[in-house]
Amino acid sequence: MKSKNSILLSHIQKAKEGNQISFNYLLDSFWNDVYGFLLKRIHDEYEAEDITIQAFSRAFDKINSFNESYTFKTWLIQIAKNIHIDLLRKKNTSIVSKTTIDVDDTVYKIVDDTPTPEDRLITEQNLAQLLRYIKELKPHYQEVINLRYFQELSYKEISKVMNEPINNVKVKLLRARKLLAEIIIKK
């Protein structure tokens, strides 16, 4: 019997290939999580639902950029959070542009987009868990993942650091991600 995580990864892969049933599965599986997160943040059912729809639309549009070594739910919530922040910025910009200098200073307050304690906890827990998984890889795989995803180096830069051809770096990175995904699936 397939684990919940392997079923999820299978649906993500099928969604990347354009499978509508998999898009529906992802929507059904994560709607309540994203909507609930937004509702706690916004306290407006209509706006929370609207942003949830936008978040899924953007996620499905960018599904090919999703990295399976990360948590899909956290990725979706981050997209929703970014959309909400963008909407607040637009709203404040619109209000400021329509007001005069005499208007109360509260209109000019900058949106606080610093992570909430809940956001920090989710990020820290997922990062700590991911780092534990990465430590289970062989050192050369740990190095290539660190250089690519944590130091955000290009393939060319990694090639110089590791003193290896770019194609070796690409293959090593593919293999490291595959092994990391297997470790995550086992857990």
Side-chain angles (χ1 to χ4, degrees):
M1 186 173 160
K2 284 187 171 182
S3 73
K4 214 175 178 181
N5 198 34
S6 66
I7 292 170
L8 172 61
L9 290 174
S10 171
H11 278 291
I12 290 169
Q13 188 55 49
K14 288 177 184 171
K16 286 182 176 185
E17 297 164 5
N19 183 303
Q20 191 59 48
I21 293 168
S22 291
F23 282 123
N24 291 345
Y25 174 86
L26 296 171
L27 184 71
D28 292 343
S29 298
F30 295 98
W31 176 270
N32 290 339
D33 296 316
V34 176
Y35 176 73
F37 167 80
L38 287 166
L39 193 57
K40 285 179 188 171
R41 212 176 149 97
I42 301 170
H43 306 290
D44 178 337
E45 291 179 14
Y46 175 78
E47 193 172 357
E49 186 172 0
D50 188 47
I51 295 172
T52 302
I53 291 167
Q54 289 180 51
F56 276 96
S57 175
R58 187 171 298 170
F60 290 165
D61 189 44
K62 304 286 185 195
I63 191 83
N64 287 320
S65 71
F66 175 70
N67 182 340
E68 285 86 358
S69 62
Y70 296 102
T71 306
F72 191 73
K73 176 180 162 182
T74 305
W75 184 67
L76 282 171
I77 287 175
Q78 187 62 46
I79 290 170
K81 185 175 127 184
N82 290 343
I83 290 171
H84 179 231
I85 290 168
D86 289 346
L87 289 173
L88 287 174
R89 284 185 180 139
K90 284 179 189 169
K91 206 180 282 184
N92 282 357
T93 302
S94 173
I95 290 169
V96 169
S97 67
K98 291 177 185 172
T99 57
T100 63
I101 298 170
D102 310 5
V103 177
D104 189 53
D105 284 337
T106 57
V107 172
Y108 296 99
K109 285 186 179 171
I110 297 171
V111 177
D112 180 13
D113 62 354
T114 56
T116 66
E118 295 87 0
D119 295 335
R120 283 194 298 274
L121 184 62
I122 288 170
T123 303
E124 288 168 11
Q125 283 177 343
N126 286 325
L127 183 58
Q129 186 178 28
L130 180 62
L131 290 173
R132 282 194 298 275
Y133 293 151
I134 291 171
K135 289 209 182 286
E136 292 182 32
L137 295 172
K138 292 180 181 174
H140 60 279
Y141 290 136
Q142 290 180 30
E143 180 183 18
V144 74
I145 284 180
N146 176 42
L147 293 171
R148 182 69 177 161
Y149 298 107
F150 293 97
Q151 295 184 34
E152 299 180 355
L153 298 183
S154 68
Y155 290 128
K156 188 176 180 181
E157 292 167 328
I158 295 169
S159 172
K160 285 181 182 175
V161 170
M162 296 182 77
N163 197 26
E164 290 189 29
I166 288 179
N167 284 343
N168 287 12
V169 169
K170 288 180 180 179
V171 170
K172 197 175 278 189
L173 192 57
L174 283 172
R175 180 77 179 137
R177 288 196 327 229
K178 181 183 184 304
L179 293 171
L180 186 58
E182 289 173 3
I183 290 168
I184 292 169
I185 289 168
K186 284 180 193 172
K187 306 289 177 179

